[in-house]
Amino acid sequence: MKKAVILLSGGLDSTTCMGIAQNEGYELYPISFDYKQRHRKELEAAKKIAEYYNVKEHRIISLDNVGGSALTDKNIDVPEYKGDGEIPVTYVPARNILFLSYALGYAEVIGAEAIFIGVSSVDYSGYPDCRPEFIEAFQKVVDVGTAAGVKGKSIKIIAPLINLSKAETIKLGTKYGVPYHLTTSCYNGKEKACGVCDSCVLRLKGFAEAGIEDPIEYEK
């Protein structure tokens, strides 16, 4: 069976990628990252999601915290959603570069054909490493910087949600039976989602536009 590494954060988008990859016939090899984020809830969610899909292996990789983000520095408050087009303080410097680099090495070791990443450039916070330009640039790195690429068997970076709205993503995931009740999206990581941070607002908007009830609880 063909193999795929899935960047699994425990959130809505990465879990949708699990459903898509499974539907396309891949054996799933999710990896999650402990990058000293401000809460553990997303890692706990990732574990439950990996168990749900009965994966052969789920790796959790520990990385040092470089700081500079509200998601890694508790001295920086998580802001409410503004949608003003500015890159918010929840941006984690070079996060997807680091995640994809590790995933790439892992993919070469296990002989995976693809790496799935749940980035979107439609309903998103404006992070530079979630744009098509970034995925295209990283694919070039894969093609020229790995043994697989040099041998003409390059590992494909697949971003199936890149041009989808959050509503379209939710509809697709629902079609594939994605367990959204196990996911978490809130940047604050409390028992109930805050409902006002970027991630919560975009998630709620997506479920509302999809006409589907969000199965998680919110404070607001």
Side-chain angles (χ1 to χ4, degrees), residues 18-177:
M18 291 279 281
I20 293 171
Q22 183 188 61
N23 183 70
E24 293 182 0
Y26 287 97
E27 184 175 21
L28 308 179
Y29 285 81
I31 59 172
S32 305
F33 293 88
D34 178 355
Y35 56 99
K36 309 304 182 289
Q37 52 267 62
R38 67 189 299 133
H39 62 79
R40 308 292 298 179
K41 192 170 183 179
E42 62 181 17
L43 288 175
E44 293 168 2
K47 291 177 185 177
K48 292 176 182 177
I49 293 159
E51 290 173 1
Y52 178 90
Y53 281 99
N54 194 29
V55 302
K56 186 174 182 180
E57 181 178 26
H58 175 213
R59 289 195 175 189
I60 297 179
I61 312 305
S62 182
L63 299 175
D64 286 337
N65 174 14
V66 297
S69 168
L71 300 191
T72 58
D73 187 342
K74 292 185 178 180
N75 292 315
I76 303 175
D77 292 333
V78 174
E80 293 188 5
Y81 177 72
K82 294 181 179 178
D84 56 8
E86 296 295 323
I87 298 174
V89 294
T90 50
Y91 163 67
V92 180
R95 178 171 59 179
N96 284 338
I97 296 174
L98 294 171
F99 290 1
L100 281 172
S101 296
Y102 194 98
L104 180 57
Y106 181 43
E108 278 208 286
V109 169
I110 66 173
E113 298 178 12
I115 298 169
F116 280 73
I117 179 170
V119 294
S120 172
S121 61
V122 182
D123 289 329
Y124 80 130
S125 296
Y127 301 153
D129 54 0
C130 290
R131 300 173 301 147
E133 300 96 312
F134 169 71
I135 297 299
E136 292 166 7
F138 199 90
Q139 184 67 64
K140 292 179 181 178
V141 171
V142 176
D143 296 343
V144 303
T146 64
V150 170
K151 292 176 181 178
K153 297 180 179 179
S154 192
I155 297 161
K156 189 174 182 181
I157 306 298
I158 301 178
L161 314 179
I162 195 76
N163 294 313
L164 299 185
S165 68
K166 196 68 73 178
E168 290 170 328
T169 293
I170 291 165
K171 287 180 180 179
L172 182 61
T174 300
K175 175 182 174 182
Y176 293 147

Side-chain angles (χ1 to χ4, degrees), residues 172-210:
L172 182 61
T174 300
K175 175 182 174 182
Y176 293 147
V178 171
Y180 288 131
H181 65 287
L182 298 178
T183 64
T184 183
S185 299
C186 184
Y187 288 152
N188 285 292
K190 298 178 181 178
E191 184 177 350
K192 293 183 180 180
C194 72
V196 295
C197 70
D198 278 24
S199 190
C200 280
V201 169
L202 292 172
R203 176 180 173 129
L204 285 166
K205 175 176 176 285
F207 272 101
E209 291 179 351

